[in-house]
Amino acid sequence: MCGIVGILGTKPVAIDIVDALRRLEYRGYDSAGIATVENGLLDRRRAEGKLRNLETRLMSEPLKGHVGIGHTRWATHGRPTEVNAHPHMTDKVSVVHNGIIENYRDLKEDLTAKGHIFQTETDTEVVVHLITDEMRQGRKPVEATQRALGMLRGAFALAIIFAGEDNLMIGARQGSPLAIGHGQGEMYLGSDAIALAPFTDTITYLEEGDWCVMTRTSVQIFDRDNRAVERPSIKSVASSLLVDKGNYRHFMLKEIHEQPEVISHTLGNYIDMAAGCVKFPSMGIDLAGVTRVTISACGTAYYAGVVAKYWIEKYARVPVEIDIASEFRYREVPLAPGGLSVFVSQSGETADTLEALRYCKRNGQIIAAVVNVRTSTIAREANAVLPTLAGPEIGVASTKAFTSQLSVLACLAIAIGRARGTIDAAKEQELVKALTELPRHVATMLHDESFYEGLAHEISKARDVLYLGRGVNYPIAMEGALKLKEISYIHAEGYAAGELKHGPIALIDENVPVIVVAPEDDLFDKTVSNMQEVAARGGQIVLISDAPKEKAGCRLLAHIKMPKAHPFTNPLLYAVPVQLLAYHTAVFMGTDVDQPRNLAKSVTVE
Ligand code: M6R
């Protein structure tokens, strides 16, 4: 979940490394650092907090080396201090690392017994000392590193440079992504192709267990058994994906506003608008023969999966097993061979989702991946990729990725239903029409946000906020609560409306806003009864509904009036007001909306 970069350049590389790190800050922003080799010696600059702190430091104390590595950190082992910031180094070697070295305690003990002195609380520092130890025994950098890599357990992407070596960098990948960029007389390493986009579009992705030895003009790649291997180079489209905030105050707001276009673009890939039917890629999957679906994901992507469970069970009449990936991967779920397993991930790199995928693959499942980053590990390991066409999502809080995941999953539900004959052509047409109308409805939600600014003022006073929803809109309540807590730091929980009386109702008093996601569908009256229970206890209700406010039958703190849409597409539509409410509350409270504390966009550790 950290971002790493390495450059073998022909001029001082520190500024370019900072530039690349800026595009990796979504992976973590607890600290940042750079090391270079200058006159044969390793030197580094590090700073706690965001990258701009490191930039300030470099202005007064520049680094001039032509070979260097950089890191932006999401802390796992050790507090986010300057001492724990990467790169870590000895007089011989410097390392940046993304991942977790699981056996670091044992290694540290052995190395300490040999006289190595550790200065940080990190797991990464053992890598530096292992290599140094090998070099002290007379081994050259490449052999020393190869031997050290053989001792590491866990997940890592590493970039390594050496004192006295102005034309050498070593990279290694196990469980965390790493890309090689091929330049003109220059060579690069990066956690992803977007980091390297300004320098080169020729990219080689290392595979699991690979490591590489690079100079400015050559790359040798070895597999986990140290056999020389060839890996293909591809032309990356990452440069066309570089984005800025435009006229928006935050990436999150821009991404919320992109949703009508992004949903439309994504749907265009899966439905034939003119014919009114889904045009699903064959995927090598016999959808008619699907009798059980397994879905797994994390965070917001998981909530998209929960919505899909409701859709697939209702329209395709297939039972769906769903669990968050960090639980699923260890549950030893029994799986009959030939089942369909669907993994949902914006980044395509989420460690738990990837491991859940591998579990299903080992157990004979056909793997479909709903991913936004098509070059990601999850996409590469899936049998079929169902891309979301959301474009890069920079805000840590997921918005447009969520609604584009829902768009794909809605089409998948229709496709399975049609293939199994549980919905007929007329029903398919009705559902497809509902989807095609959706971008227009979403756009109407974005015309005027002044209402949310006022409401945000009220919500910001709360210590706890509850979100309620029923049926297919229950996951939207959970997603609303996640959005609010992650960017405003207000405690929020999403509950199934019917579950309220089994415990959470004890929390209700006049200081607890209760956000009710309740389109006027066949469950609306049931949810109205739950609202009465809240109102009777003094709770402050915000009703998000297409129903007139009078139908609430109780006093409301606010009514977010929604356009009338088909019940099938309501989860997509109702995602928008919960995003806006969280966004404006966070802005009102003055938090760092795009990079909220303690979080990272891509979670590549378990
Ligand atoms: O990249 P992924 O979709 O696999 O990420 C999953 C979650 O980490 C992500 O959705 C997270 O919950 C977001 N911060 C939610 O806004």
Side-chain angles (χ1 to χ4, degrees):
M1 305 229 327
C2 306
I4 68 173
V5 178
I7 302 183
L8 279 155
T10 48
K11 58 181 187 339
V13 291
I15 289 174
D16 282 347
I17 291 178
V18 168
D19 188 22
L21 289 177
R22 191 169 296 115
R23 279 184 301 282
L24 289 175
E25 242 192 330
Y26 72 89
R27 303 177 77 93
Y29 33 80
D30 286 335
S31 65
I34 293 181
T36 66
V37 182
E38 197 176 329
N39 300 324
L41 298 176
L42 289 163
D43 197 3
R44 69 180 167 186
R45 304 286 179 268
R46 300 177 296 168
E48 212 175 299
K50 299 254 172 95
L51 189 58
R52 59 176 170 265
N53 300 344
L54 177 67
E55 281 181 278
T56 310
R57 182 90 195 272
L58 282 164
M59 271 184 239
S60 54
E61 298 170 69
L63 285 172
K64 301 205 180 97
H66 291 197
V67 51
I69 52 179
H71 188 269
T72 179
R73 179 170 188 240
W74 185 81
T76 58
H77 293 58
R79 287 161 296 143
T81 58
E82 183 175 331
V83 168
N84 289 329
H86 300 218
H88 296 296
M89 61 186 247
T90 62
D91 59 331
K92 295 196 179 323
V93 60
S94 183
V95 170
V96 287
H97 167 218
N98 169 30
I100 293 176
I101 308 295
E102 287 170 2
N103 58 336
Y104 84 100
R105 280 201 187 84
D106 295 343
L107 294 170
K108 194 168 176 174
E109 226 172 80
D110 294 348
L111 288 159
T112 306
K114 285 183 176 175
H116 287 260
I117 295 169
F118 284 78
Q119 293 175 347
T120 79
E121 303 161 314
T122 67
D123 52 331
T124 307
E125 202 183 354
V126 295
V127 183
V128 177
H129 286 281
L130 274 179
I131 298 172
T132 302
D133 197 63
E134 295 292 331
M135 289 178 74
R136 282 193 189 146
Q137 294 173 48
R139 295 191 176 90
K140 298 268 187 259
V142 175
E143 191 194 355
T145 304
Q146 178 190 333
R147 288 173 64 93
L149 290 176
M151 295 180 226
L152 302 178
R153 304 282 167 269
F156 50 81
L158 298 166
I160 309 166
I161 54 173
F162 304 87
E165 299 285 351
D166 188 54
N167 192 18
L168 175 68
M169 183 179 301
I170 296 182
R173 179 218 157 127
Q174 180 169 296
S176 303
L178 192 61
I180 298 169
H182 306 261
Q184 298 290 332
E186 300 199 331
M187 211 61 88
Y188 309 90
L189 277 176
S191 292
D192 65 27
I194 290 188
L196 307 181
F199 317 123
T200 179
D201 63 354
T202 308
I203 298 291
T204 302
Y205 288 99
L206 291 184
E207 294 184 8
E208 280 297 278
D210 283 357
W211 61 287
C212 64
V213 179
M214 301 161 58
T215 68
R216 287 185 179 80
T217 51
S218 70
V219 183
Q220 282 178 290
I221 303 178
F222 303 92
D223 67 10
R224 66 171 82 248
D225 298 319
N226 301 319
R227 287 180 302 232
V229 286
E230 295 286 328
R231 302 291 182 217
S233 294
I234 57 159
K235 283 285 170 203
S236 160
V237 292
S239 57
S240 63
L241 300 178
L242 295 180
V243 284
D244 61 35
K245 285 200 283 255
N247 291 328
Y248 291 93
R249 186 166 169 191
H250 296 102
F251 277 110
M252 182 179 176
L253 186 61
K254 176 170 179 266
E255 288 157 5
I256 289 172
H257 278 258
E258 283 171 353
Q259 288 179 113
E261 196 188 330
V262 157
I263 293 170
S264 172
H265 193 40
T266 302
L267 288 175
N269 207 38
Y270 298 95
I271 60 184
D272 180 334
M273 307 253 182
C277 61
V278 288
K279 50 164 190 186
F280 227 71
S282 91
M283 308 194 296
I285 301 168
D286 169 24
L287 291 181
V290 170
T291 53
R292 178 177 163 165
V293 175
T294 311
I295 305 179
S296 195
C298 300
T300 289
Y302 167 74
Y303 297 137
V306 182
V307 174
K309 172 183 167 72
Y310 282 89
W311 280 335
I312 294 171
E313 291 185 340
K314 178 176 168 104
Y315 294 109
R317 308 302 301 148
V318 178
V320 177
E321 156 89 33
I322 176 156
D323 204 348
I324 46 178
S326 53
E327 288 300 313
F328 183 93
R329 59 181 289 195
Y330 295 116
R331 258 179 56 206
E332 300 181 27
V333 180
L335 296 165
L340 174 62
S341 291
V342 181
F343 298 88
V344 188
S345 176
Q346 188 285 128
S347 63
E349 299 294 349
T350 301
D352 285 316
T353 309
L354 179 60
E355 286 307 321
L357 179 158
R358 288 174 177 161
Y359 174 85
C360 288
K361 214 171 182 182
R362 283 197 299 277
N363 284 274
Q365 304 301 290
I366 299 158
I367 310 295
V370 179
V371 287
N372 200 34
V373 181
R374 291 175 83 155
T375 50
S376 61
T377 312
I378 288 178
R380 290 204 301 273
E381 296 199 12
N383 301 111
V385 179
L386 306 177
T388 53
L389 306 181
E393 190 180 65
I394 308 297
V396 164
S398 189
T399 52
K400 63 174 180 171
F402 179 60
T403 44
S404 45
Q405 286 159 355
L406 289 177
S407 303
V408 176
L409 293 165
C411 295
L412 179 64
I414 299 173
I416 302 176
R418 276 299 276 150
R420 286 173 45 82
T422 51
I423 55 175
D424 59 17
K427 189 71 184 174
E428 177 181 25
Q429 241 180 16
E430 176 195 322
L431 298 177
V432 166
K433 180 164 178 289
L435 286 170
T436 56
E437 286 168 355
L438 189 70
R440 178 170 54 84
H441 290 315
V442 172
T444 64
M445 298 302 305
L446 299 168
H447 284 160
D448 182 9
E449 288 166 46
S450 48
F451 171 81
Y452 292 91
E453 290 164 17
L455 185 54
H457 187 184
E458 292 301 317
I459 302 295
S460 69
K461 296 178 199 157
R463 205 186 61 177
D464 306 292
V465 178
L466 296 187
Y467 284 73
L468 302 181
R470 250 181 203 272
V472 73
N473 296 296
Y474 160 45
I476 304 305
M478 294 193 282
E479 168 62 3
L482 177 65
K483 283 288 89 81
L484 186 72
K485 72 181 126 190
E486 70 181 336
I487 59 170
S488 75
Y489 316 144
I490 297 173
H491 172 244
E493 296 300 336
Y495 285 101
E499 186 66 9
L500 183 75
K501 55 190 166 298
H502 299 288
I505 200 164
L507 298 172
I508 307 282
D509 64 21
E510 58 286 357
N511 299 315
V512 179
V514 180
I515 320 286
V516 185
V517 182
E520 195 174 15
D521 55 16
D522 49 357
L523 298 176
F524 179 71
D525 291 339
K526 308 262 176 222
T527 310
V528 166
S529 304
N530 303 130
M531 278 195 305
Q532 310 298 333
E533 293 156 13
V534 171
R537 286 151 183 93
Q540 302 291 312
I541 297 167
V542 176
L543 174 61
I544 308 179
S545 182
D546 51 347
K549 61 173 183 262
E550 294 68 32
K551 289 205 177 175
C554 58
R555 204 183 70 80
L556 299 176
L557 173 65
H559 176 219
I560 301 180
K561 184 77 174 83
M562 299 295 290
K564 235 189 220 319
H566 193 291
F568 175 54
T569 57
N570 275 336
L572 282 127
L573 188 56
Y574 282 63
V576 179
V578 298
Q579 294 167 352
L580 286 171
L581 190 55
Y583 172 77
H584 287 287
T585 305
V587 169
F588 183 80
M589 295 178 77
T591 60
D592 190 340
V593 171
D594 284 332
Q595 294 183 329
R597 69 183 182 202
N598 304 339
L599 291 174
K601 184 76 184 156
S602 178
V603 184
T604 55
V605 293
E606 63 170 291

